[in-house]
Amino acid sequence: MTSRRPPSPPHPAGQLYIGLMSGTSLDGVDGVLGSFSDDPGKPVQTLAHAHIPFTQTLRRDLMALQTPGANEIDREAQLANVLAERYAECVSGLLDKAGVVAGRVQAVGVHGQTIRHRPELGYTRQTNNPSLLAELCGIDVVADFRSRDIAAGGQGAPLVPAFHQAVFGSDRDCRVVANIGGIANITVLTPDAADASGHTIGYDTGPGNVLMDLWIGRHRNQAYDAGGAWAASGTLIPDLLERLSSEPYFAKAPPKSTGRDLFHEDWLCGHLAGAAGLRPEDVQRTLCELTASSLASAIRRSAPEARAVFICGGGAFNDFLMQRIQGALDDAGMRVTVSTTGSLGMAPDCVESLAFAWLARQFIERRPGNLPAVTGAQGSRVLGALYPA
């Protein structure tokens, strides 16, 4: 599945890496081909972006792996092969779009599909078959980025703050980068963070789109709430928001990370128990507010001096959620502007994939990929494992 198209006119100088990401939302594979350099003025340029959606069957089968079930080993192994084929399709699409042959790419960094994240038990599990991916695309593959950080006593997540620090840090002001996928996380970048990694704060704040996607899927058979229109049509349920916000995770001090292991359907249904007669759109409105308020609360606690918040991930395209984040920060008395990473020159749907391309480069050059102050690891570690082409 490699591209044999001759290269188009010269691309920007730099090393070429591909990053692949399939996240908690289970909507498909996002891939980016990036050109990396050590120029602090422009460390990365996006050459191509591609998205390969999951079929309903694949999404259903991956969702089923999120909880224990029969014949898990066989089911996971077969799904890993299917995922590798989707990843290879995405790689091929990127090469074709950019007019680049596989031999020009240093490596593919692939996160895999998280089905368990239990750092408190000493493990994390991302379904993947990087050997098959290397065979299919003819490019070295770097995978399994989280395990080494967990082995060093860390959470193994979030990993994107190290990338945020490398490309979004400012020597003039404190800024926050918020990645809103299925789960939301923040990176607080202080002016001295570029030279002192200990000053970078990052952690998962709680649910991003995961509960909203679950709820609209159940009631309207839609994968996500486009633009937040359905949530905007509802009315906030204050009592429900209070119950949801009482989850101990929100008050837990970082380092911390979370996922579907906590914020899942049974968790939501437990808080809805005994609350008969609620309109579904009002619940959706309240779930949107939970994401916005938990994110704003984390920013207020960890970055009270911040003056700008930059959103990336799928949540950046939810107009109503973006409004509610701004509103929650305003209500907290913070004078801060909310925009997407597009205002920093990087499309919000490319950031996380580029982070795994960057992590692959860190591995190939034997540079650390984690921030111990973020993950809680005992020290800096080179993350990942190599699967040669």
Side-chain angles (χ1 to χ4, degrees), residues 67 211 214 218 260 262-273:
T67 54
L211 297 176
L214 184 158
R218 175 195 286 190
R260 287 186 187 272
L262 174 57
F263 295 106
H264 48 61
E265 186 170 12
D266 288 346
W267 181 89
L268 176 58
C269 290
H271 288 289
L272 291 172

Side-chain angles (χ1 to χ4, degrees), residues 23-373:
T24 312
S25 294
L26 291 169
D27 57 346
V29 181
D30 279 300
V32 175
L33 173 64
S35 175
F36 291 82
S37 76
D38 290 321
D39 178 4
K42 199 154 193 177
V44 58
Q45 297 181 61
T46 302
L47 304 184
H49 171 255
H51 176 76
I52 304 297
F54 286 161
T55 64
Q56 289 187 349
T57 299
L58 179 56
R59 188 174 191 274
R60 180 200 64 207
D61 292 346
L62 287 170
M63 186 72 75
L65 278 179
Q66 306 291 315
T67 54
N71 204 22
E72 282 185 308
I73 294 176
D74 182 72
R75 287 160 50 214
E76 184 194 352
Q78 293 193 50
L79 285 172
N81 290 341
V82 175
L83 273 175
E85 292 169 354
R86 297 290 81 75
Y87 292 148
E89 183 181 351
C90 191
V91 169
S92 180
L94 289 167
L95 297 176
D96 283 343
K97 281 186 176 182
V100 169
V101 294
R104 286 199 60 197
V105 180
Q106 300 290 319
V108 175
V110 56
H111 175 253
Q113 184 66 54
T114 299
I115 59 168
R116 297 286 193 283
H117 184 63
R118 301 299 302 274
E120 74 280 9
L121 298 180
Y123 79 93
T124 187
R125 181 71 177 182
Q126 283 73 46
T127 298
N128 192 7
N129 188 342
S131 293
L132 178 57
L133 177 58
E135 189 70 26
L136 291 172
C137 68
I139 305 171
D140 287 356
V141 173
V142 183
D144 191 22
F145 292 100
R146 299 194 187 280
S147 294
R148 184 60 191 276
D149 186 87
I150 289 180
Q155 291 279 310
L159 295 180
V160 291
F163 175 69
H164 293 164
Q165 175 187 283
V167 300
F168 295 135
S170 169
D171 59 4
R172 298 184 304 276
D173 55 27
C174 174
R175 54 180 55 170
V176 174
V177 179
N179 178 56
I180 306 178
I183 298 298
N185 61 66
I186 62 169
T187 305
V188 180
L189 298 170
T190 57
D192 55 356
D195 299 315
S197 63
H199 290 274
T200 297
I201 299 169
Y203 55 92
D204 290 344
T205 61
N209 303 311
V210 62
L211 297 176
M212 292 186 285
D213 290 351
L214 184 158
W215 193 249
I216 198 170
R218 175 195 286 190
H219 290 276
R220 306 194 77 176
N221 197 31
Q222 296 175 11
Y224 62 95
D225 188 1
W230 194 43
S233 73
T235 301
L236 181 68
I237 308 171
D239 290 347
L240 175 60
L241 179 62
E242 184 177 354
R243 291 198 299 274
L244 296 171
S245 300
S246 68
E247 164 58 47
Y249 179 84
F250 296 121
K252 183 180 178 182
K256 61 179 181 177
S257 60
T258 189
R260 287 186 187 272
D261 301 273
L262 174 57
F263 295 106
H264 48 61
E265 186 170 12
D266 288 346
W267 181 89
L268 176 58
C269 290
H271 288 289
L272 291 172
L278 297 180
R279 296 195 311 163
E281 61 266 36
D282 296 343
V283 175
Q284 184 77 351
R285 167 69 178 85
T286 306
L287 293 175
C288 182
E289 194 68 21
L290 177 68
T291 294
S293 61
S294 57
L295 188 68
S297 179
I299 292 170
R300 180 179 56 80
R301 287 196 307 267
S302 298
E305 71 277 27
R307 292 294 175 264
V309 176
F310 302 96
I311 309 292
C312 59
F317 300 96
N318 185 323
D319 297 333
F320 186 64
L321 175 60
M322 292 286 285
Q323 293 172 22
R324 290 311 310 141
I325 294 169
Q326 181 72 71
L329 290 167
D330 291 345
D331 291 344
M334 293 190 67
R335 299 176 58 187
V336 59
T337 60
V338 177
S339 61
T340 76
T341 54
S343 60
L344 296 175
M346 190 173 293
D349 52 350
C350 291
V351 174
E352 196 164 19
S353 298
L354 277 171
F356 284 94
W358 180 84
L359 283 166
R361 182 178 185 238
Q362 293 295 102
F363 174 89
I364 294 297
E365 299 188 355
R366 297 302 186 267
R367 300 177 183 178
N370 65 336
L371 294 177

